[in-house]
Amino acid sequence: MSDCRRQWNREDELPVYLAKPISTGPSQRHKSYGYTSIDFQQYAVGRNENRSSRSSSRERIVDGDFEAYEISGGTFISSPGERDDGRPGVEITDQTEKECDCQNNGKSERLLIKGGRVVNDDQSQYADVYVEDGIIKQVGENLIVPGGVKVIEANGCMVIPGGIDVNTCLHKPYLGTPPVDDFYQGTKAALAGGTTMIIDHVTPQPGESLLEAFEKWQEVADKKSCCDYSLHLDIPHWHEGVKEELEQLVQEKGINSFQVYMAYKGLFQMPDSQLYEAFSFLKELGAVVLVHAENGDLIAQEQSKILGMGITGPEGHPLSHPEELEAEAVFRAITLGNRVNCPVYITKVMSKSAADTVATARKKGSVVFGEPITASLATDGSHYWSKNWAKAAAYVTSPPLSPDPTTPDHLNSLLSCGDLQVVGSGHCAYSTSQKAIGKDNFTLIPEGTNGVEERMGFVWDKAVASGKMDENQFVAVTSSNAAKIFNLYPRKGRIAVGSDADIVIWDPDKIKTITAKEQQSALEYNIFEGMECHGGPVYVVCQGRTVFEEGKLQVQQGTGRFISRKPFPDVAYQRIKCRTKMMSKQGVSRGIYDGPVYDVPATPKYITPSPSAKTSPTTHQPPPIRNLHQSNFSLSGAQIDDNVPRRSGHRIVAPPGGRSNITSLG
Amino acid sequence: MSYQGKKNIPKITSERLLIKGGRIVNDDQSFFADIYMEDGVIKQIGDNLIVPGGVKTIEADGKMVIPGGIDIHTHLQMPFRGMNTVDDFSQGTKAALAGGTTMIVDHVIPEPGSSLLEAFERWREWADEKVCCDYSLHVDITHWSDGIKQEVLSLIKEKGVNSFQVYMAYKDLYQMSNSELYEIFTFLGEHGGIAQVHAENGEIIAEEQNRMLEMGITGPEGHVLSRPEELEAEAVFRAVTIASQTNCPLYVTRVMSKSAADIISQARKKGNVVFGEPITASLGTDGTHYWSKNWAKAASFVTSPPLSPDPTTPDYLSTLLASGDLSVVGSAHCTFSVAQKAIGKDDFTQIPEGVNGAEERMSIIWDKAVVTGKMDENMFVAVTSTNAAKILNLYPRKGRIAVGSDSDLVIWDTDAVRTITAKTHHSAAEYNVFEGMELRGAPMLVVCQGKVVLEDGKLNATAGTGRFIPCSPYPDFAYKRVKARKQLAVLKAVPRGMYDGPVSEFSPMSRGGTPSASTRTSPSKTPARNLHQSGFTLSGPEEAPIRPAGRRIVVPPGGRSNITSLS
């Protein structure tokens, strides 16, 4: 493994994402790094281009070549390494520092993580990581760092990019009461689980302004959040006025993802035609469309049916939200996405059939992403039938957990093979007394499960420890893919020079028994209660500060920053852009049909206006009867039996020009 | 055997017929035997039959004798915007007979808002006057209300209709919302009807149509561009979902694309009771013609869902038909003259939809599926006749050659080759979407109601001789499984003690359309308390953990909760 050790800090790897669209930096890196010999040649080429002076033997790199940097006053000077002959020093200017405006002055530590195995989504390598000002400054071996740096010995443990939880609801009120985990409790729990960034859902009430709701959320989160965050906006209903707000949100507020609902009839649900318009508009803006995919019409029907049967307990929830309704809506959402040519992101993939639908669509080339959540990967819906009402109600979320106990395994398999891309938590914590609002009617139980703290652990336990997934894919599904889809990459989701210092040291052998007693969440229950989870964070660095160490959390409210996101994420939109170019449709240029036109009363069909239905000049004249065999009208070439008399045709209106010519094939 | 429909049989001077030396092909087996018919019913089958003298004898010479075809989907004499399709019941059934089809099932399409019963009676009147072969009727449900429910019920119970079509397309005209579909399917499932569905997503079609027209595409190619295959597949998927939720047998009319057919075969694999009906056009031709430079030719292919522009579609559909994933072939015969089609010459959304196919149906299947080796002759009988009879609950009166069955049968000439052309077909349409196709396999002789109607290429059909055949509800073919599942699928609530723990305070608001009647039953509201003081726990023994402060809760008068703790 030592082969792959090398320095990371070349000037072309400085945080380009801040200056340019992020595509150039990471893609170069993808190409030029790797630890097979073939990749080394590519690497060499890259190096030659970038540094013509450095054409010395390549074996050195293989031997563990490195570069060292002296750091003084925030300026980077790359100096020749001990074993590097005559390489010109490269000065990295203040640019870097200016770009680090995101740091919290003076608070951030200088950290050196030594002896760890840096695991990104594409490769793993042994390297040290040096962090300053909340940014990763150096990655490599034998780094030269200033004195007084806090050194963390990773002892060969995995060093991974901090997790990104793309689906939390930490401020989503239910009937006026907010969830018990607010941005403080929620992000604390996230950090304890190795997640260093969350993306929360802003859920405006129907009729409420999106912008106002966004600002409300931002205000609350700025005050309370302990880690970086970003926001998705849910669009409760579609009308013309929303468009302007959306435009503003995308262009000024840094939001690039919006959720629409196919469920919650009478509240958030949109009919297909509105979805079509919403998709079309969001696509123009370059946003990712998040879809809550369930057929709300049928759910409403099933709910009243099941209530009518006298089933009022939590088991009514999965009974009225059968798996099929989820799969159906996923299929419909993908169809809409294909039609509009818009990327679709399915939040909360809870069932096998929904996941299969996503996988099939991806095989056909649709740009669609699927997000299973902690709960759907780690537990199943059999608990809805628990005799304990509170326990059963704790599992209520929409779409519901599948009662099929093989579901988690199936979803983990699809996650491992890349058919599902991102794991969220769907963390939306309502206390038992809040859940008890629905004690006599399951449709009133507030929906949501915990999972933000357990997310990374269970992906490791269920997928990596079971051999379905490797550590790189683990990083991809817990962090990198999310960063790519929501255009945060490589600032987030990667350990590389210039990325944010959100780093987790992961211990694959750690064993933890999940219990509500020891969790960070304010909930009095945990749906994973009693489950044993292999793998967990031993050390968490967030924004360059140590926040979790030796099982202890040291967090500060309000330190989290809002991370704005640009539209048109490459991973979703590169294909979309090409397809838009390809897909321009053209009409067939034909002569004008001048044959007979049947006379119809002008009743419009469908909603399309029929302005052209009456353009035939001869409308009211009594049509002369003629035999069709006298016309030279024919549909397919000259006929052998053209002279055979034809049966008499129907009454038709002859145009003034008499016989038609262009309608014959000849 | 007796049939309730028999009283409808007008006394006809039926011939006595003996078909000798034929190979009888049913859907399950083939065997050599003679058939003796009298009074429009098959009386004897076997070798060396003893028959009265003076019987007309037909030598089959070892050719196949098959049950007459049943065309389960036609639109004859269909009124549309003040005009009618050019093939009326006489012209259309003649075309059907000429192709070896001895029974048709036509769709009654009531205007939205009008009575289903009245429309049904009107169709009966039109048909009885002109029809040349036996017929039955589907009724389309174009709008839904409680009044319609009663009409549907009386159609099922008194009028002999067991299949009803609903539309997922034609926005603002026939289209039903998901909730209405749910109610209709539930209702039909309870009363033994078959839910037929025109599966296309009408909402998206309307949007796409506007987009196409805005882009300046007004020709027939706009029709297929605005109704892409996916929308069909999506709607089929949705229909399957709703049907499976409501436990109602589903029949998808006009399966036109590969993806829609795939959805059906997947659903069948999962055990759903769903039948798919490809039509003559989707098996015989494809949608590339929409781009023809000849407007009239392009327009003649306009039907909904459209023919798929993918030229491999017909082959694929006939494969699924042969494997049994698709069940039955209709023709969807609905012919408009070119002048009628030309109503939409400047706007493709105005083109009346429909293609021909009643006459070509049997030959196309023979040519595309049997000659190519995909299907055997028994399966051919199943998809052209027997399955339809089973779905309509007419089996074994129709769809089988057996003693007691109606004497509707066809001597099928496997070697005949004919070229389809509008000049020689029996439809009144001046075009034929299969123009120029050479088809192997054709009827040599057709017997309908015990009378020879096609012999030596000559058609001797008499308008008005056809009878209405009432279909009874709960066809076994569809309902045996449905009934069994109904008995199994009884949902039960979990018996729990009353939840007597704290209930959070909340502002009442109706959610999801469900009334929140029972939300405020907790009687009192008390100041906040810490949850860790409550005996509430979810798992195992408690060790006095230090819990974060809870939220404001309402404590019930009974104090601590017990039944909510696990133990």
Side-chain angles (χ1 to χ4, degrees):
Chain A
M1 275 306 274
S2 67
D3 286 6
C4 57
R5 301 180 191 181
R6 70 187 65 92
Q7 83 293 339
W8 280 75
N9 28 7
R10 293 174 294 142
E11 70 269 73
D12 61 333
E13 292 196 346
L14 283 175
V16 281
Y17 56 86
L18 291 168
K20 282 189 256 171
I22 59 160
S23 56
T24 49
S27 59
Q28 260 177 356
R29 222 168 3 228
H30 278 307
K31 278 175 198 150
S32 55
Y33 277 78
Y35 37 77
T36 64
S37 55
I38 296 162
D39 280 343
F40 260 97
Q41 287 177 344
Q42 287 178 346
Y43 176 60
V45 172
R47 296 272 285 208
N48 282 333
E49 279 168 10
N50 293 327
R51 281 191 203 172
S52 48
S53 69
R54 199 189 132 84
S55 53
S56 48
S57 84
R58 297 272 70 87
E59 286 121 56
R60 286 191 175 167
I61 301 161
V62 181
D63 289 338
D65 192 7
F66 66 94
E67 269 182 81
Y69 282 62
E70 278 177 8
I71 290 137
S72 54
T75 305
F76 293 76
I77 297 163
S78 90
S79 67
E82 295 115 310
R83 287 152 64 205
D84 200 8
D85 35 358
R87 194 191 320 163
V90 176
E91 188 172 355
I92 290 127
T93 57
D94 304 340
Q95 196 196 2
T96 323
E97 191 158 60
K98 268 187 255 154
E99 287 162 355
C100 299
D101 57 344
C102 40
Q103 67 174 326
N104 290 318
N105 292 331
K107 285 181 193 166
S108 98
E109 304 170 59
R110 291 176 177 181
L111 278 179
L112 180 66
I113 301 173
K114 271 184 87 90
R117 190 152 48 92
V118 173
V119 179
N120 276 319
D121 66 329
D122 52 348
Q123 61 166 3
S124 312
Q125 56 166 2
Y126 284 94
D128 300 343
V129 181
Y130 174 66
V131 171
E132 197 181 287
D133 297 331
I135 304 272
I136 296 171
K137 296 286 184 185
Q138 298 181 54
V139 178
E141 260 189 294
N142 303 328
L143 302 177
I144 294 178
V145 296
V149 164
K150 180 172 176 185
V151 178
I152 302 157
E153 282 293 342
N155 292 327
C157 268
M158 288 166 57
V159 178
I160 59 173
I164 300 174
D165 188 341
V166 287
N167 187 352
T168 64
C169 295
L170 300 179
H171 192 62
K172 177 186 177 183
Y174 176 72
L175 298 180
T177 61
V180 293
D181 281 342
D182 58 6
F183 274 100
Y184 173 63
Q185 291 286 355
T187 51
K188 227 171 72 176
L191 287 170
T195 297
T196 54
M197 176 170 183
I198 59 156
I199 309 184
D200 201 70
H201 278 275
V202 178
T203 48
Q205 291 306 305
E208 193 182 353
S209 150
L210 298 188
L211 271 172
E212 278 168 28
F214 166 73
E215 275 156 17
K216 203 160 74 192
W217 249 260
Q218 203 182 13
E219 199 182 312
V220 176
D222 277 339
K223 257 187 240 157
K224 293 188 172 170
S225 180
C226 309
C227 65
D228 287 350
Y229 72 96
S230 192
L231 297 171
H232 304 297
L233 250 121
D234 295 8
I235 305 176
H237 65 311
W238 187 255
H239 54 91
E240 282 301 307
V242 167
K243 286 188 179 175
E244 215 169 286
E245 291 195 314
L246 291 178
E247 219 162 316
Q248 209 178 335
L249 283 164
V250 170
Q251 274 149 22
E252 294 165 24
K253 303 291 183 185
I255 302 287
N256 74 1
S257 49
F258 299 89
Q259 170 147 327
V260 292
Y261 290 89
M262 299 170 82
Y264 303 108
K265 191 180 179 185
L267 193 59
F268 298 134
Q269 187 178 328
M270 289 187 197
D272 290 352
S273 49
Q274 281 184 13
L275 290 172
Y276 185 97
E277 280 173 36
F279 280 37
S280 315
F281 188 74
L282 292 172
K283 175 211 165 184
E284 296 301 319
L285 293 177
V288 179
V289 181
L290 277 52
V291 181
H292 178 113
E294 275 186 299
N295 189 320
D297 287 335
L298 297 193
I299 289 171
Q301 295 279 355
E302 293 281 336
Q303 281 180 336
S304 48
K305 184 177 106 188
I306 288 187
L307 285 175
M309 292 165 72
I311 298 178
T312 57
E315 70 277 13
H317 183 71
L319 290 175
S320 61
H321 292 68
E323 173 166 343
E324 283 182 292
L325 304 193
E326 188 191 349
E328 187 279 314
V330 169
F331 195 95
R332 190 148 42 99
I334 291 170
T335 305
L336 277 157
N338 287 347
R339 272 302 89 212
V340 179
N341 192 22
C342 165
V344 175
Y345 179 102
I346 310 290
T347 59
K348 300 202 204 180
V349 174
M350 305 298 279
S351 65
K352 283 164 122 173
S353 45
D356 285 341
T357 308
V358 172
T360 316
R362 286 179 64 86
K363 283 196 192 80
K364 288 187 189 151
S366 305
V367 183
V368 54
F369 306 101
E371 170 208 281
I373 65 169
T374 321
S376 62
L377 291 175
T379 184
D380 60 58
S382 49
H383 305 282
Y384 291 117
W385 279 266
S386 164
K387 289 272 188 192
N388 180 333
W389 188 93
K391 185 178 179 193
Y395 290 84
V396 170
T397 186
S398 274
L401 289 158
S402 168
D404 177 352
T406 60
T407 305
D409 195 55
H410 187 77
L411 294 182
N412 277 302
S413 300
L414 290 192
L415 187 67
S416 308
C417 75
D419 280 351
L420 299 172
Q421 289 73 42
V422 184
V423 181
S425 70
H427 190 86
C428 186
Y430 292 106
S431 69
T432 300
S433 60
Q434 284 175 316
K435 291 256 180 191
I437 291 169
K439 73 192 176 65
D440 301 316
N441 179 348
F442 66 86
T443 66
L444 293 170
I445 300 173
E447 292 167 355
T449 55
N450 63 300
V452 70
E453 185 175 349
E454 300 80 6
R455 190 178 66 101
M456 310 253 303
F458 275 122
V459 176
W460 186 271
D461 183 72
K462 301 284 175 192
V464 189
S466 65
K468 286 178 194 275
M469 189 188 274
D470 60 24
E471 56 192 23
N472 303 96
Q473 179 73 0
F474 172 71
V475 169
V477 300
T478 54
S479 178
S480 306
N481 287 351
K484 286 174 184 170
I485 293 170
F486 296 109
N487 224 351
L488 295 163
Y489 193 79
R491 179 176 177 183
K492 300 281 184 191
R494 186 168 187 89
I495 295 185
V497 173
S499 297
D500 278 3
D502 291 346
I503 299 168
V504 172
I505 299 180
W506 189 262
D507 180 1
D509 302 322
K510 185 174 168 182
I511 296 178
K512 187 182 173 191
T513 304
I514 308 289
T515 163
K517 300 201 179 65
E518 285 161 27
Q519 71 188 6
Q520 295 297 326
S521 161
L523 279 177
E524 63 275 59
Y525 60 84
N526 189 313
I527 58 166
F528 310 108
E529 187 74 43
M531 290 177 73
E532 215 173 67
C533 180
H534 295 254
V538 287
Y539 198 93
V540 179
V541 176
C542 179
Q543 298 179 50
R545 289 190 319 270
T546 305
V547 293
F548 182 78
E549 194 178 4
E550 291 164 0
K552 266 178 247 148
L553 262 184
Q554 304 152 353
V555 296
Q556 216 179 339
Q557 279 199 52
T559 48
R561 303 161 297 182
F562 173 74
I563 309 286
S564 70
R565 295 172 287 133
K566 290 209 178 75
F568 295 107
D570 275 345
V571 71
Y573 269 93
Q574 262 182 2
R575 286 175 288 169
I576 295 286
K577 281 178 192 163
C578 284
R579 289 178 196 184
T580 310
K581 274 185 218 155
M582 290 291 295
M583 272 170 49
S584 54
K585 282 169 186 152
Q586 279 180 342
V588 175
S589 54
R590 297 184 179 91
I592 296 169
Y593 173 87
D594 56 357
V597 177
Y598 200 91
D599 190 18
V600 280
T603 46
K605 190 181 139 195
Y606 319 147
I607 50 161
T608 328
S610 56
S612 53
K614 276 265 195 180
T615 45
S616 175
T618 58
T619 38
H620 298 297
Q621 284 175 351
I625 299 163
R626 67 167 187 175
N627 272 345
L628 270 181
H629 71 267
Q630 290 173 347
S631 138
N632 61 357
F633 176 83
S634 110
L635 283 166
S636 57
Q639 309 283 321
I640 319 157
D641 46 0
D642 267 336
N643 300 321
V644 178
R646 301 293 316 278
R647 230 172 319 97
S648 65
H650 245 71
R651 262 158 61 102
I652 44 165
V653 183
R659 292 149 150 246
S660 73
N661 283 318
I662 74 115
T663 49
S664 70
L665 254 187
Chain B
M1 274 188 189
S2 75
Y3 297 97
Q4 68 171 118
K6 247 191 178 164
K7 54 179 179 277
N8 293 352
I9 304 175
K11 268 291 163 204
I12 44 171
T13 50
S14 147
E15 300 171 63
R16 293 175 175 181
L17 268 182
L18 179 66
I19 296 180
K20 274 185 85 89
R23 189 156 51 93
I24 297 174
V25 179
N26 277 322
D27 68 326
D28 52 349
Q29 59 172 350
S30 313
F31 54 94
F32 285 94
D34 300 342
I35 307 166
Y36 173 67
M37 293 168 271
E38 203 179 291
D39 297 330
V41 174
I42 296 171
K43 295 285 185 188
Q44 295 180 55
I45 290 177
D47 290 330
N48 308 323
L49 301 177
I50 298 171
V51 296
V55 166
K56 179 173 176 183
T57 305
I58 297 160
E59 281 294 339
D61 289 333
K63 290 209 159 55
M64 284 168 60
V65 181
I66 58 174
I70 299 175
D71 187 344
I72 196 167
H73 187 166
T74 64
H75 295 275
L76 303 180
Q77 214 169 328
M78 183 184 86
F80 178 76
R81 295 176 69 180
M83 57 201 188
N84 284 96
T85 50
V86 292
D87 283 334
D88 60 10
F89 277 99
S90 155
Q91 196 82 45
T93 49
K94 274 180 192 158
L97 287 169
T101 297
T102 55
M103 176 175 181
I104 60 151
V105 189
D106 204 69
H107 277 270
V108 176
I109 308 179
E111 284 294 305
S114 68
S115 153
L116 301 190
L117 276 170
E118 279 169 27
F120 171 77
E121 295 298 345
R122 205 160 51 236
W123 251 263
R124 280 290 311 267
E125 224 170 87
W126 290 339
D128 282 339
E129 191 186 319
K130 292 187 172 172
V131 74
C132 309
C133 65
D134 287 351
Y135 74 101
S136 195
L137 293 172
H138 306 294
V139 176
D140 294 7
I141 300 176
T142 48
H143 58 125
W144 185 244
S145 65
D146 281 342
I148 296 296
K149 253 187 197 178
Q150 291 313 311
E151 294 200 319
V152 169
L153 201 57
S154 74
L155 282 169
I156 293 177
K157 293 205 166 141
E158 295 155 23
K159 302 293 182 182
V161 175
N162 77 353
S163 44
F164 297 85
Q165 169 153 321
V166 290
Y167 292 86
M168 298 170 83
Y170 304 108
K171 192 180 175 184
D172 299 333
L173 189 64
Y174 300 143
Q175 188 177 326
M176 294 283 167
S177 71
N178 290 340
S179 342
E180 284 168 332
L181 290 174
Y182 185 95
E183 283 176 23
I184 294 170
F185 284 18
T186 310
F187 187 77
L188 291 177
E190 279 164 12
H191 294 97
I194 303 271
Q196 298 195 325
V197 62
H198 176 116
E200 274 185 300
N201 188 319
E203 300 263 342
I204 305 183
I205 289 172
E207 299 280 345
E208 292 276 322
Q209 283 181 336
N210 288 339
R211 194 166 69 95
M212 289 303 149
L213 289 175
E214 268 167 32
M215 287 165 73
I217 298 177
T218 57
E221 69 278 12
H223 179 74
V224 65
L225 290 174
S226 64
R227 303 177 104 98
E229 165 164 352
E230 282 181 293
L231 304 191
E232 188 191 348
E234 188 279 318
V236 170
F237 197 101
R238 189 148 41 101
V240 167
T241 305
I242 299 174
S244 127
Q245 278 311 302
T246 52
N247 204 9
C248 171
L250 180 73
Y251 179 102
V252 180
T253 59
R254 301 199 223 201
V255 175
M256 305 298 278
S257 65
K258 285 165 132 177
S259 42
D262 279 341
I263 302 276
I264 291 172
S265 64
Q266 278 167 24
R268 287 174 67 91
K269 281 194 192 78
K270 287 184 194 151
N272 293 338
V273 182
V274 51
F275 307 104
E277 171 209 275
I279 65 168
T280 320
S282 62
L283 293 172
T285 182
D286 60 56
T288 52
H289 305 283
Y290 291 117
W291 279 267
S292 164
K293 288 274 187 189
N294 180 334
W295 188 91
K297 184 179 181 193
S300 69
F301 286 85
V302 169
T303 185
S304 279
L307 290 158
S308 167
D310 177 350
T312 60
T313 305
D315 192 53
Y316 192 81
L317 292 181
S318 36
T319 306
L320 289 191
L321 186 67
S323 72
D325 281 352
L326 299 173
S327 311
V328 63
V329 180
S331 71
H333 190 85
C334 179
T335 45
F336 290 98
S337 68
V338 172
Q340 288 172 326
K341 291 257 180 191
I343 292 165
K345 73 191 175 66
D346 300 316
D347 176 354
F348 66 86
T349 65
Q350 306 292 320
I351 300 173
E353 294 165 355
V355 292
N356 63 302
E359 185 174 350
E360 298 81 7
R361 193 177 65 102
M362 311 261 291
S363 291
I364 292 242
I365 300 166
W366 186 268
D367 185 74
K368 300 285 175 191
V370 186
V371 173
T372 55
K374 292 183 182 188
M375 190 186 270
D376 59 26
E377 56 194 22
N378 304 97
M379 193 68 186
F380 173 74
V381 169
V383 298
T384 54
S385 176
T386 311
N387 287 351
K390 287 178 177 169
I391 290 170
L392 294 164
N393 220 355
L394 296 173
Y395 188 80
R397 177 178 177 183
K398 301 281 184 189
R400 185 167 187 89
I401 297 182
V403 174
S405 297
D406 279 3
S407 52
D408 290 345
L409 47 82
V410 172
I411 299 182
W412 190 257
D413 183 355
T414 55
D415 304 321
V417 176
R418 61 178 169 150
T419 305
I420 304 294
T421 163
K423 301 212 174 54
T424 56
H425 71 194
H426 290 80
S427 158
E430 63 273 64
Y431 62 85
N432 190 314
V433 293
F434 311 104
E435 187 75 42
M437 280 177 74
E438 224 173 59
L439 297 180
R440 285 154 289 187
M444 196 172 83
L445 180 123
V446 177
V447 178
C448 180
Q449 298 178 61
K451 287 190 303 184
V452 176
V453 292
L454 181 85
E455 198 175 11
D456 301 331
K458 264 179 247 147
L459 200 60
N460 308 306
T462 322
T465 51
R467 303 161 296 180
F468 174 75
I469 311 286
C471 307
S472 48
Y474 297 108
D476 277 349
F477 195 53
Y479 268 90
K480 261 189 179 160
R481 285 176 288 169
V482 168
K483 279 180 192 162
R485 288 175 197 185
K486 265 186 192 148
Q487 285 165 357
L488 279 176
V490 178
L491 300 176
K492 280 190 200 129
V494 175
R496 296 186 181 92
M498 285 286 290
Y499 172 88
D500 55 358
V503 176
S504 172
E505 200 187 341
F506 64 99
S507 49
M509 181 178 89
S510 76
R511 197 193 75 173
T514 328
S516 54
S518 56
T519 52
R520 275 268 185 185
T521 46
S522 177
S524 70
K525 144 181 147 173
T526 51
R529 66 166 188 177
N530 274 347
L531 271 180
H532 70 268
Q533 290 172 349
S534 128
F536 177 81
T537 165
L538 282 166
S539 60
E542 198 164 358
E543 297 163 31
I546 295 163
R547 301 304 321 285
R551 305 197 68 84
R552 259 162 60 102
I553 45 167
V554 183
V555 179
R560 291 151 148 247
S561 72
N562 283 319
I563 73 114
T564 50
S565 70
L566 259 189
S567 54

